[in-house]
Amino acid sequence: MRHLLLSLPLYLTSFLVQSQTGAAIITELKSINQSVTSKSCGTDSAAAISNRAMNVFLADKTGYLSASSDLSFYTNYVTFNSAEGKFTVNHNFQKGTTGNDAPAKKLLSIGFDMTLSNNYAKSFLDKRFENEIGVTVNYKWLGKVKTRFTDCSQNNVTQKQEMDALRAVMLAQLQIEILNKEADFKLAQMAIDSTGDAAKKIVQEKFYEDLKSAYEEKFATIQASLLTQTGNFKLISTSWTSISAYIPLLFPKYTVAPSLVTPFSDKHPYPLSIQLGHTRMWESAKMGRLFFTLNGMLLLNNSKLSYGLNKLNFSEYKSLGGTDMLHATDPGNNKLYIGQYQTFITPSLTARMVYFSSGSHVGISFLAEKSFSDYNLLNFKAGIPIVLINSKKTPAVTIECYALFLDITNKAGTAGKTSIGLGIGIPFSRLMY
């Protein structure tokens, strides 16, 4: 019995190695291909490519990045916003799909936000953004992808039939490659006489694991590329819902006095925020790509962040008759705030639209933000996003030049509310799916 237990792992390893062969890998790929081919053209389940290939396809189409809450199929991504001086680094922790060919359904990303004092020292923007560091947590639920083709009842070859034929030819080519690589490996393994049987089995197992992983990825990647090149679809649509939280770790204190003749005190804000958003994406072969996002947010706001205090430097404070020279002359408190300091919760709604015409990497974007309650400003942003493509013809960097119009209804009564800015989004590392 003891000898049986000791030899059992060896038998299991041998069985797994034997079952994982080039032929087995080809059978799995054929099964994935058949599942796509068998889906009728005009139904809700119709598909042009496999689920994993669609993940790769969407990774290219969702390459527009402007904030840490945006969707990215890459393990890491960074964003920068010059108007706010905000730099974010984000990491996707969620392991991608389970099984050989599954759609992406959920995604967890965690990162940090760093806001640096910007150059708008005397502008409207400087009254809001300071040096700060915080953590962001974002969880996304990805919706079902729907693929529509042109008239599926026509007598000539339909878009889906063409994609099925192209995929079959591609699969036949991959089959030849897999069998050739397997044959080369077996020849190389036979040439090594000094290696024991146990070592050979380990090497063989590693070879088939790598071969399987490589060709599953290649099968998906080539399908996605074929769909982009041929445009064999009428419309591809999907959506995702996200909930995100910003948790401040380091935020500057404010030196505040109710009036010029009352002493200053230090206020320690904690601008925690939580946001719920939903995005829909439409990719049309003829009309281009459209994103529409609607977000709702709750912010733990205060009088300073909502422009409810007057900001003075030491000279201004002194010339106006300020009496608390002890705080005013402190070099660390060169920003002095006069007024009644309060904390309150501010709800806001944001709507964003981004459009890229078919085949173009240059688009247009519009964003409107409306806050309510004690801080009821209306802001607007218009931009031109440009998605730069790398040598692999996938999105590498998004650069967006924009004009920002703050408080367009003049609720805060402060000048200098129009500015231009630059946004940058960079996905990097590997695709998760």
Side-chain angles (χ1 to χ4, degrees), residues 144-342:
K144 182 180 179 181
V145 180
K146 295 182 179 180
T147 304
R148 297 288 182 267
F149 300 96
T150 53
D151 189 6
C152 293
S153 62
Q154 59 188 10
N155 295 325
N156 57 336
V157 177
T158 65
Q159 291 177 323
K160 176 169 169 51
Q161 289 173 334
E162 184 175 340
M163 282 302 301
D164 290 342
L166 289 171
R167 195 172 54 255
V169 172
M170 177 191 66
L171 183 55
Q173 293 172 337
L174 295 183
Q175 179 177 340
I176 295 173
E177 290 182 20
I178 291 171
L179 294 177
N180 287 339
K181 286 183 181 292
E182 183 181 38
D184 292 342
F185 170 75
K186 288 181 177 179
L187 288 174
Q189 193 177 40
M190 290 174 60
I192 305 175
D193 298 328
S194 59
T195 305
D197 291 339
K200 283 185 177 181
K201 289 178 180 177
I202 293 174
V203 172
Q204 185 176 343
E205 183 178 4
K206 181 66 166 60
F207 167 77
Y208 282 115
E209 286 178 356
D210 292 345
L211 188 67
K212 181 176 184 293
S213 176
Y215 276 88
E216 284 180 345
E217 181 177 350
K218 190 171 184 178
F219 185 48
T221 302
I222 296 178
Q223 286 183 76
S225 178
L226 280 173
L227 187 60
T228 298
Q229 292 172 9
T230 61
N232 278 326
F233 62 93
K234 181 179 180 181
L235 181 69
I236 293 176
S237 62
T238 188
S239 64
W240 55 92
T241 301
S242 65
I243 183 169
S244 57
Y246 171 70
I247 306 169
L249 298 180
L250 177 63
F251 202 88
K253 64 182 180 182
Y254 305 146
T255 302
V256 183
S259 67
L260 293 170
V261 297
T262 53
F264 285 101
S265 62
D266 292 333
K267 304 296 182 181
H268 299 273
Y270 195 73
L272 177 74
S273 66
I274 185 168
Q275 177 175 279
L276 178 66
H278 182 74
T279 299
R280 295 200 63 85
M281 189 202 85
W282 297 270
E283 172 78 9
S284 169
K286 292 183 178 181
M287 301 300 295
R289 188 179 319 128
L290 177 67
F291 299 89
F292 181 77
T293 302
L294 186 64
N295 288 325
M297 186 176 73
L298 293 176
L299 169 67
L300 187 57
N301 209 343
N302 58 65
S303 301
K304 188 268 182 184
L305 287 179
S306 60
Y307 318 111
L309 303 177
N310 293 318
K311 183 175 76 71
L312 304 174
N313 57 34
F314 171 69
S315 298
E316 292 170 332
Y317 177 74
K318 184 177 179 180
S319 65
L320 291 173
T323 59
D324 189 355
M325 293 296 105
L326 179 62
H327 278 86
T329 55
D330 183 354
N333 290 327
N334 60 344
K335 295 177 181 177
L336 308 173
Y337 296 96
I338 307 299
Q340 294 295 328
Y341 181 85
Q342 295 178 323

